[in-house]
């Protein structure tokens, strides 16, 4: 029987352009406890193949690389010289002659390598992604052929003292529509359990395809959740990701996306609840390469008790992405004084004629809302409890599969007995 | 004093520096239907909000006695539990909270001890009664609701809570003919089923056609300038508020 060794995945979920170190939010460290049994409890329903060493994604990226290289000839020596001169002037103007930032160097090197597979980044970082792939062993490959519509449901069911991970590759060929719904749930467990559940999902969305990923995490106490996503979008591809983070003591959610194709579009909707001493870590990195690419990151959460949350959201508008638009918005309700909430929205811009927006509503229930609710009999505490419970109810209402719905309702029931009654089917 | 439900005496209220209500006397008996009229900006909504305990306003003088107790020091949620209800002229939107969850929280806060089945049944019944699409129940409270839909949701809450006194602040404004008759029907239901007491704030006589009004009050510039039987409504409908406005200015002036 295989088991984990104690280790720390350093610099996971790192922001590409770091902020002040003292803020302690440039990246995070993921601690893997020792002796967890490696036991993938993954159930898949729908058309998918499960095998070791699947390389469909690699081949898809290679294919894309050929097309991309043909369309984007390597710059001539003269162009490189011109670009360098331009950058030097820019650096002079912006930094008063100091050296380029590490971020800029890395970004330029990545551009210069002209390698799509290198640009295929993981939200939790490469080290964490490698760990997850290794632990998962086999890969679940979901493939949508041209014009096909594929629906797949998966459950990662964690058990105590084990690490259960699913590695999922989604390849949507031209014009295909692929929807994958993943429930990350645990067996009922007593206090003092230890366990890790996770997914690492790679998505290759080819020209004109539509991919929907929905992941809901309703783990019990004592669990760590690792949610890693890497996206690659070709021309006119639309990718939507819906993440629901409700359970687990500690959760790491990381999503990186490469909007390579023109007019490609990525929408990420995240809903979360933090309570007790829970820790929530979110990292988003969207790189716009293609012209008129669009991304939208929306996060909506409720934080209570003494939980802490960090959200890093980077939108990188890379040279050449004319007409691109990126936006990130966050709504967080902070219920208790003991909550720690950190958010860094970063918009990097190396192109004119682009739009990058961010907005945040962080705070307590608004006075007008509070008065309205009070006029219907709700005290402040009752109003706050309603907002927390509403996050879970909304998650159940919006669930894309019965598995997600049921696991969300079970979690709601653990938090507030009687919760499941709300969703009892009406007798006909 | 028998069966007096609401008595305001010399009620003065302000929003920060701005004094809005001046020396308001107002009485309602249990089971009655009253109308409060007055030009825009007279202070009608403020009056409703002050009775409900809106912290945006301060009571600077006088008393509000509801059902035998002085409620000036009582928090809004306690006033609601005591049987007061205010339907908002502009109902508030609560993103992130499905209407159904809100209704459930409201019923629980009132200690109505409704079993889930009963709760669902009641809501279904009321939605039908108010010609409301039950799909709204799963939508976020007020978000993307039309003006008329918001008002229907206010009526639904009124009928669910069955308060002793309901203040309807322009619940009829901006409604089409169908929605107007739905609101009228809601008012009738409230009076018949709950023996409810009603204070209707309105600019239109349409909504009053199917309501037997016991008394009408006129507010101008934060003062009650007239009150009388239902016939007063027709007088005002014909003549407007002009005669009071000069009188109101006289009061302001001294
Ligand atoms: N929070 C506030 N701060 C300052 N002034 C306010 C506040 N609320 C209301 N007012 C003022 O008090 C006055 C009365 O307003 P109110 O809304 O009560 O009038 P109304 O009679 O309901 O008018 P309408 O018929 O237009 O609804 C107005 O001059 C208004 O601008
Ligand atoms: Mg008003």
């Amino acid at each position: 029987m295989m088991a984990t060794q104690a280790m720390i995945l350093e610099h996971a979920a790192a922001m590409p352009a770091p902020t002040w170190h003292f803020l302690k939010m440039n990246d995070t460290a993921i601690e893997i406890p020792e002796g967890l049994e490696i036991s993938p409890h993954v159930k898949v329903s729908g058309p998918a193949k499960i095998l070791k060493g699947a390389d469909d994604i690699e081949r898809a990226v290679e294919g894309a690389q050929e097309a991309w290289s043909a369309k984007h000839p390597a710059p001539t020596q003269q162009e490189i010289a011109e670009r360098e001169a331009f950058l030097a002037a820019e650096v002079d103007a912006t930094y008063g002659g100091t050296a380029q930032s590490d971020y800029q160097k890395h970004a330029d090197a990545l551009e210069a390598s002209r390698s799509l597979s290198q640009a295929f980044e993981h939200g939790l970082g490469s080290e964490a992604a490698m760990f997850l792939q290794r632990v998962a062993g086999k890969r679940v490959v979901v493939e949508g052929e041209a014009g096909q519509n594929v629906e797949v449901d998966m459950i990662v069911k964690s058990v105590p003292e084990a690490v259960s991970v699913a590695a999922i590759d989604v390849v949507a060929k031209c014009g295909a529509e692929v929807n994958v719904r993943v429930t990350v749930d645990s067996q009922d467990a007593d206090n003092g359990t230890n366990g890790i559940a996770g997914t690492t999902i790679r998505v290759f969305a080819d020209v004109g395809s539509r991919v929907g990923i929905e992941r809901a995490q309703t783990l019990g106490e004592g669990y760590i959740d690792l949610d890693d996503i890497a996206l690659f979008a070709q021309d006119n591809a639309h990718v939507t990701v819906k993440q629901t983070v409700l359970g687990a003591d500690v959760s790491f959610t990381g999503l990186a996306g490469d909007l390579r194709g023109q007019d490609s579009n990525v929408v990420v909707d995240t809903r979360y609840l933090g309570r007790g001493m829970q820790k929530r870590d979110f990292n988003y990195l969207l790189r716009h390469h293609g012209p008129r690419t669009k991304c939208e990151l929306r996060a909506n959460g409720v934080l209570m008790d003494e939980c802490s949350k960090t959200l890093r959201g980077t939108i990188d508008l890379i040279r050449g992405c004319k007409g691109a638009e990126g936006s990130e918005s966050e709504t967080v309700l902070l219920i208790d004084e003991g909550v720690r909430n950190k958010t860094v929205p970063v918009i990097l811009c190396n192109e004119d004629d682009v739009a990058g927006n961010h907005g945040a509503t962080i705070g307590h229930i608004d006075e007008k809302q509070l008065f309205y609710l009070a006029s219907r009999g709700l005290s402040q505490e009752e109003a706050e409890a309603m907002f927390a419970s509403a996050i879970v109810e909304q998650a159940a209402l919006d669930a894309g599969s019965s598995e997600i719905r049921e696991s969300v309702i079970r979690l709601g029931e653990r938090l507030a007995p009687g919760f499941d009654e709300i969703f009892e089917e009406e007798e006909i | 004093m028998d069966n007096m439900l609401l008595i305001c005496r010399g009620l003065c209220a302000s929003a920060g520096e701005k004094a809005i209500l001046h020396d308001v006397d107002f009485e309602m008996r249990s089971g009655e239907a009253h109308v409060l009229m007055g030009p825009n900006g007279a202070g009608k909504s403020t009056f409703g909000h002050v009775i409900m305990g809106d912290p945006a306003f301060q009571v600077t003088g006088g008393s509000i006695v509801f059902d035998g107790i002085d409620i000036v020091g009582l928090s809004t949620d306690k006033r609601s539990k005591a049987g007061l209800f205010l339907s908002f002229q502009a109902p508030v939107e609560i993103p992130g909270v499905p209407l159904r969850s809100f209704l459930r929280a409201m019923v629980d806060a009132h200690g109505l001890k409704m079993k889930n089945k009963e709760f669902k049944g009641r809501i279904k019944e009321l939605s039908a009664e108010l010609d409301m699409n039950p799909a709204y129940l799963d939508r976020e409270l007020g978000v993307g609701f039309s003006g008329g839909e918001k008002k229907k949701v206010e009526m639904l809450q009124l009928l669910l809570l069955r308060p002793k006194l309901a203040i309807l602040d322009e619940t009829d404004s901006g409604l089409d003919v169908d929605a107007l008759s739905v609101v009228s029907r809601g008012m009738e239901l409230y009076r018949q089923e709950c023996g409810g007491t009603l204070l209707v704030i309105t600019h239109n006589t349409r909504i009053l056609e199917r309501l037997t009004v016991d008394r009408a009050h006129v507010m101008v510039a934060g003062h009650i300038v007239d009150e009388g039987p239902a016939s007063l409504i027709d007088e005002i409908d014909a003549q407007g508020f002009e005669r009071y406005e000069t009188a109101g200015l006289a009061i302001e002036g001294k």
Side-chain angles (χ1 to χ4, degrees):
Chain A
M1 196 189 301
M2 298 241 291
T4 54
Q5 292 185 324
M7 64 169 136
I8 296 178
L9 304 169
E10 304 270 11
H11 307 301
M15 286 202 292
T19 171
W20 301 103
H21 279 286
F22 71 83
L23 291 175
K24 294 198 174 59
M25 55 180 305
N26 285 329
D27 55 23
T28 188
I30 302 174
E31 236 174 286
I32 306 297
E34 184 169 0
L36 297 183
E37 185 195 335
I38 294 175
S39 87
H41 279 71
V42 181
K43 206 179 98 192
V44 183
S45 43
K49 52 183 184 184
I50 303 170
L51 36 106
K52 250 194 145 60
D55 63 350
D56 305 68
I57 280 240
E58 281 80 359
R59 279 188 283 119
V61 174
E62 275 166 29
Q65 176 82 62
E66 269 174 43
W68 187 85
S69 300
K71 226 172 128 186
H72 299 81
T76 60
Q77 286 302 334
Q78 193 190 342
E79 278 167 338
I80 292 171
E82 275 169 16
R83 171 78 182 150
E84 274 169 5
F86 169 78
L87 280 177
E90 186 97 315
V91 164
D92 267 348
T94 331
Y95 305 99
T98 54
Q100 260 182 306
S101 69
D102 285 347
Y103 156 69
Q104 196 60 50
K105 275 187 214 154
H106 174 76
D108 282 353
L110 204 60
E111 288 299 288
S113 78
R114 300 170 41 76
S115 155
L116 299 191
S117 61
Q118 272 187 41
F120 205 168
E121 295 164 286
H122 284 261
L124 288 186
S126 53
E127 203 186 338
M130 261 151 56
F131 167 78
L132 290 169
Q133 277 158 26
R134 187 155 46 79
V135 174
K138 291 176 182 159
R139 299 193 149 276
V140 179
V141 182
V142 180
E143 216 158 358
E145 294 299 332
Q148 228 182 10
N149 184 345
V150 177
E151 307 278 326
V152 174
D153 285 290
M154 298 182 50
I155 304 177
V156 177
K157 192 92 177 177
S158 293
V159 295
E161 306 308 323
V163 46
S164 311
V165 174
I168 306 161
D169 285 350
V170 177
V171 181
K173 305 220 166 130
C174 301
E177 176 167 349
V178 180
N179 290 302
V180 178
R181 293 167 289 262
V182 187
T183 312
V184 179
D185 194 18
S186 59
Q187 275 181 3
D188 292 339
D190 307 325
N191 281 342
T193 26
N194 234 331
I196 297 181
T199 53
T200 176
I201 304 176
R202 298 191 293 180
V203 174
F204 181 88
D206 214 333
V207 178
S209 65
R210 280 170 193 275
V211 177
I213 305 288
E214 180 175 348
R215 184 190 194 271
Q217 183 268 102
T218 53
L219 292 165
E221 274 158 41
Y223 286 95
I224 300 173
D225 173 37
L226 301 175
D227 172 3
D228 172 60
I229 299 182
L231 306 176
F232 189 93
Q234 291 275 67
D235 294 359
N236 291 305
H238 282 239
V239 181
T240 57
V241 179
K242 204 159 99 182
Q243 292 164 314
T244 302
V245 178
L246 299 175
D249 284 356
V250 185
S251 68
F252 296 95
T253 305
L255 179 148
D258 186 325
L259 291 98
R260 185 65 58 161
Q262 60 185 31
D263 298 292
S264 58
N265 186 326
V266 174
V267 177
V268 183
D269 252 305
T270 304
R271 187 196 320 262
Y272 60 88
L273 172 67
R275 49 189 193 87
M277 300 294 289
Q278 287 172 333
K279 288 191 170 41
R280 304 279 177 240
D281 190 282
F282 299 95
N283 184 50
Y284 297 98
L285 166 57
L286 274 303
R287 301 218 199 248
H288 289 259
H289 286 271
R292 299 176 306 278
T293 44
K294 270 196 186 126
C295 86
E296 217 177 314
L297 307 176
R298 294 186 290 246
N300 188 340
V302 174
L303 299 173
M304 54 202 288
D305 305 324
E306 288 175 50
C307 70
S308 55
K309 183 221 89 184
T310 301
L311 187 151
R312 301 170 215 91
T314 305
I315 293 173
D316 191 0
L317 298 158
I318 294 162
R319 199 158 61 94
C321 74
K322 283 205 180 305
E325 281 174 42
S327 81
E328 44 185 316
S329 63
E330 196 190 7
T331 307
V332 201
L333 181 63
L334 308 175
I335 289 184
D336 295 295
E337 293 302 316
V339 164
R340 273 170 300 161
N341 177 53
K342 291 194 261 185
T343 302
V344 216
V346 179
I347 294 183
L348 303 166
C349 191
N350 273 303
E351 178 60 75
D352 350 301
D353 184 27
V354 291
N357 305 303
H358 70 83
T361 316
I362 296 173
H364 304 275
I365 306 172
D366 150 302
E367 302 253 309
K368 284 212 170 78
Q369 292 181 340
L370 214 49
F371 173 61
Y372 183 76
L373 296 172
S375 81
R376 305 300 144 95
L378 275 72
S379 65
Q380 179 155 348
E381 291 72 35
E382 285 164 335
E384 287 165 350
M386 179 186 74
F387 275 91
S389 146
I391 279 273
V392 186
E393 278 172 53
Q394 279 277 4
L397 286 171
D398 298 347
S401 71
S402 55
E403 287 83 5
I404 292 182
R405 184 180 156 95
E406 279 156 25
S407 66
V408 170
I409 293 172
R410 270 199 306 278
L411 177 130
E413 183 65 17
R414 292 202 297 271
L415 296 184
F419 181 88
D420 59 357
E421 284 182 16
I422 306 169
F423 298 93
E424 274 167 11
E425 291 302 320
E426 263 144 74
E427 285 134 74
I428 310 152
Chain B
M1 281 278 286
D2 67 319
N3 69 14
M4 270 304 171
L5 187 60
L6 178 73
I7 311 166
C8 298
R9 289 255 186 277
L11 182 63
C12 299
S14 57
E17 295 286 282
K18 187 181 160 88
I20 301 174
L21 299 181
H22 310 275
D23 207 14
V24 171
D25 288 334
F26 203 101
E27 283 183 4
M28 290 180 80
R29 274 170 213 281
S30 201
E32 289 181 340
H34 289 218
V35 173
L36 176 60
M37 296 170 292
N40 291 130
K44 305 179 298 296
S45 293
T46 304
F47 181 61
H49 279 243
V50 166
I51 289 176
M52 205 65 230
D54 188 344
F57 303 100
Q58 301 81 45
V59 172
T60 52
S63 62
I64 310 170
V65 174
F66 176 70
D67 209 12
I69 48 168
D70 189 329
I71 57 169
V72 170
L74 219 57
S75 64
T76 300
D77 58 307
K78 297 220 171 78
R79 295 185 200 201
S80 164
K81 282 166 196 152
L84 265 170
F85 183 90
L86 169 68
S87 164
F88 283 46
Q89 183 172 354
V92 175
E93 294 180 7
I94 318 256
V97 178
L99 173 57
R100 188 198 302 277
S101 323
F102 164 63
L103 294 177
R104 182 78 241 187
M106 187 178 88
V107 162
D108 290 345
H110 275 263
L112 292 181
K113 302 254 179 305
M114 258 191 219
K115 283 250 181 335
N116 194 52
K117 218 168 145 187
E118 194 186 338
F119 171 74
K120 278 189 171 160
R122 183 82 183 118
I123 298 241
K124 211 169 157 184
E125 196 179 286
L126 290 175
S127 312
E129 210 94 73
L130 295 171
D131 193 22
M132 221 183 87
N133 184 345
Y136 289 164
L137 292 167
D138 290 339
R139 283 172 50 181
E140 297 171 66
L141 177 56
V143 179
F145 286 35
S146 76
E149 288 160 357
K150 283 184 181 169
K151 298 292 171 79
K152 283 187 188 178
V153 173
E154 294 286 283
M155 291 306 285
L156 179 89
Q157 295 175 56
L158 166 69
L159 294 172
L160 196 58
L161 287 182
R162 314 169 122 238
K164 291 180 186 147
L165 170 62
I167 303 170
L168 305 187
D169 189 356
E170 296 199 27
T171 304
D172 58 331
S173 72
L175 297 187
D176 64 27
V177 188
D178 292 342
L180 205 60
S181 74
V182 164
V183 168
S184 276
R185 195 158 67 238
M187 281 172 21
E188 268 170 48
L189 273 174
Y190 168 63
R191 301 206 70 206
Q192 286 162 6
E193 286 187 5
C194 328
T197 310
L198 206 54
L199 172 58
V200 179
I201 301 175
T202 185
H203 290 290
N204 299 306
T205 53
R206 289 271 323 238
I207 191 78
L208 306 174
E209 279 165 15
R210 284 162 59 184
L211 184 74
T212 321
V213 175
D214 295 295
R215 213 155 170 80
H217 309 249
V218 183
M219 181 177 274
V220 173
H223 296 268
I224 294 289
V225 292
D226 200 359
E227 65 172 274
S231 57
L232 184 56
I233 301 166
D234 299 323
E235 283 172 37
I236 285 176
D237 192 33
Q239 299 166 24
F241 297 108
E242 216 168 302
R243 57 178 164 148
Y244 301 118
E245 282 178 326
T246 33
L249 285 177
I251 304 172
E252 291 286 275
K254 69 178 181 192

